[in-house]
Amino acid sequence: MENVISFPKQENLIDEYERIISHKSGKTVDAYLRSIRQFASWLSERPGGGDTFHPEQMTTTALDVYLEELEAEYSINYRNRIKSAISGFSNWLIEKGLLQQNPARGVEIPPQPLLAPRELSQDQRYVLRNLVEKKEKSLRGKALFALGYWAGCRVSDVSWLKMKDVHVGKKVGWLHVGHKNKKGRDIDILNQVRRPIHDFLEDEKQKKDRPYVFFSQRSDRLTEAGIHHWFRNLKRKATKDEWEYIQDITFHDLRHDFAHRAREAGWTIEEIAYYLGHVTKKGTPAIETTARYTQVSRKQIKGKLQLVKG
């Protein structure tokens, strides 16, 4: 007989697994359980799931399709962490006799293509900026967008931005960013970034004792997943015509596009590398990484053909 587990039973099962992994750090345990619950919820909604979760649904095909759905919005590292969490849970289910084999064994997450920059069109930029101006009501949302679009920040830069690292006033502003690989850097910011951050912090001044700039109802830090979720909701505010332009744009694409616009503005590759945090372990600009963000396009070459002299 199939081992069908309703949602209340599912929670009991996950609670039991939580005790098994309780030796890990609190953050790791929370991340693992969140990944497992989200996958179980997704499985229950698949054809034949019947709004219930049962371990036999945890097949290689199911996990492969699930991770493919996350590919557009989440990094390779994030999806590998999900795969690891589900693999550990699966091994435990196998020990309990509730699962025959680990579905993660047959799943491979392909590496990110080396040449995958994203340069937005003028229409895409117009639609996104208009959405933020006209339909994004929260000051937090305006600040999030500004950091991606006008400062080229990584989603981790934004998520882990601390109050003590923000130095903005009415006329000047700079940030200390760089959570990834602990490669912090100081960057000056445009008024298009300074103003929304200043307005957001002034509006939230009664909460300035918090450690992080962006928080959620559940935590003192807005997670990377939370930022991606906000960006998807922003895009949903678009009209049908606008949606056609922005449906596949991710928050990380804003960073790529910033690099292209900086290059067009005359920045050197080294300057872009520093600003974006593309540096080697020795602290020198990682030119190869930055070059992928600023590939020369056919349009750029076409515009300069007439400058060639005979």
Side-chain angles (χ1 to χ4, degrees):
M1 180 177 178
E2 201 175 39
N3 293 309
V4 178
I5 299 173
S6 64
F7 276 101
K9 182 65 176 179
Q10 169 202 330
E11 286 304 313
N12 291 338
L13 195 64
I14 295 178
D15 287 343
E16 184 179 350
Y17 182 63
E18 180 177 5
R19 292 191 291 272
I20 300 298
I21 61 173
S22 61
H23 62 282
K24 299 181 181 292
S25 70
K27 289 185 177 180
T28 298
V29 171
D30 289 343
Y32 275 30
L33 297 182
R34 189 185 313 115
S35 296
I36 294 166
R37 287 192 175 100
Q38 289 173 347
F39 182 51
S41 178
W42 180 86
L43 281 173
S44 71
E45 296 171 357
R46 303 281 67 76
D51 293 327
T52 59
F53 163 73
H54 46 102
E56 285 79 0
Q57 285 180 295
M58 296 177 64
T59 63
T60 297
T61 296
L63 181 56
D64 196 33
V65 172
Y66 179 65
L67 293 174
E68 282 182 1
E69 288 190 7
L70 299 181
E71 184 176 356
E73 298 291 344
Y74 298 101
S75 68
I76 291 174
N77 288 339
Y78 183 81
R79 283 178 281 135
N80 273 318
R81 287 197 294 270
I82 292 176
K83 176 184 172 183
S84 177
I86 293 173
S87 178
F89 183 56
S90 299
N91 283 334
W92 180 71
L93 289 174
I94 291 171
E95 292 177 4
K96 290 180 67 67
L98 296 174
L99 190 63
Q100 294 298 315
Q101 60 183 13
N102 192 325
R105 285 187 179 180
V107 173
E108 293 185 3
I109 299 177
Q112 185 74 23
L114 290 179
L115 299 177
R118 184 69 182 271
E119 181 179 8
L120 304 184
S121 69
Q122 290 294 346
D123 286 337
Q124 289 172 320
R125 294 166 183 166
Y126 176 82
V127 170
L128 285 173
R129 292 177 61 184
N130 246 359
L131 276 180
V132 174
E133 180 180 350
K134 296 168 60 177
K135 297 186 179 180
E136 178 54 62
K137 303 303 182 183
S138 75
L139 293 176
R140 184 186 78 165
K142 293 180 183 295
L144 289 171
F145 179 79
L147 285 166
Y149 186 85
W150 291 108
C153 287
R154 295 184 179 94
V155 67
S156 60
D157 291 339
V158 179
S159 175
W160 291 91
L161 183 60
K162 294 183 177 180
M163 292 291 294
K164 68 180 181 65
D165 292 330
V166 175
H167 309 272
V168 296
K170 293 183 177 180
K171 296 184 178 181
V172 297
W174 63 276
L175 309 172
H176 181 80
V177 296
H179 173 77
K180 185 178 180 181
N181 299 326
K182 308 300 181 183
K183 295 178 181 177
R185 64 197 185 281
D186 296 333
I187 59 171
D188 294 293
I189 51 178
L190 291 166
N191 284 334
Q192 290 93 328
V193 184
R194 179 193 56 76
R195 281 194 298 266
I197 291 180
H198 179 268
D199 292 345
F200 172 64
L201 293 181
E202 283 299 301
D203 184 65
E204 297 289 340
K205 58 185 177 181
Q206 72 276 10
K207 300 178 182 178
K208 280 192 175 180
D209 57 338
R210 66 182 186 273
Y212 298 100
V213 174
F214 300 104
F215 54 93
S216 68
Q217 294 179 345
R218 300 178 180 179
S219 173
D220 61 359
R221 182 179 68 84
L222 181 63
T223 64
E224 288 92 331
I227 295 172
H228 288 302
H229 178 72
W230 162 80
F231 191 68
R232 288 194 297 271
N233 282 341
L234 171 67
K235 294 194 298 179
R236 291 190 183 105
K237 298 175 183 178
T239 64
K240 183 178 180 180
D241 290 341
E242 291 172 332
W243 175 254
E244 294 300 318
Y245 287 97
I246 64 171
Q247 57 180 314
D248 64 337
I249 296 175
T250 68
F251 188 86
H252 190 70
D253 289 332
L254 304 183
R255 174 174 167 85
H256 279 186
D257 190 59
F258 175 85
H260 280 287
R261 288 181 282 122
R263 187 64 168 150
E264 290 176 359
W267 290 29
T268 66
I269 292 291
E270 289 82 4
E271 289 167 341
I272 298 173
Y274 170 79
Y275 199 85
L276 295 182
H278 292 160
V279 294
T280 66
K281 292 180 179 180
K282 296 180 180 180
T284 57
I287 303 301
E288 290 185 2
T289 300
T290 307
R292 296 202 301 270
Y293 277 55
T294 56
Q295 284 188 89
V296 175
S297 68
R298 179 183 178 185
K299 180 178 68 175
Q300 290 172 292
I301 297 297
K302 183 178 179 180
K304 293 183 177 181
L305 273 175
Q306 301 303 322
L307 300 178
V308 178
K309 304 299 181 181

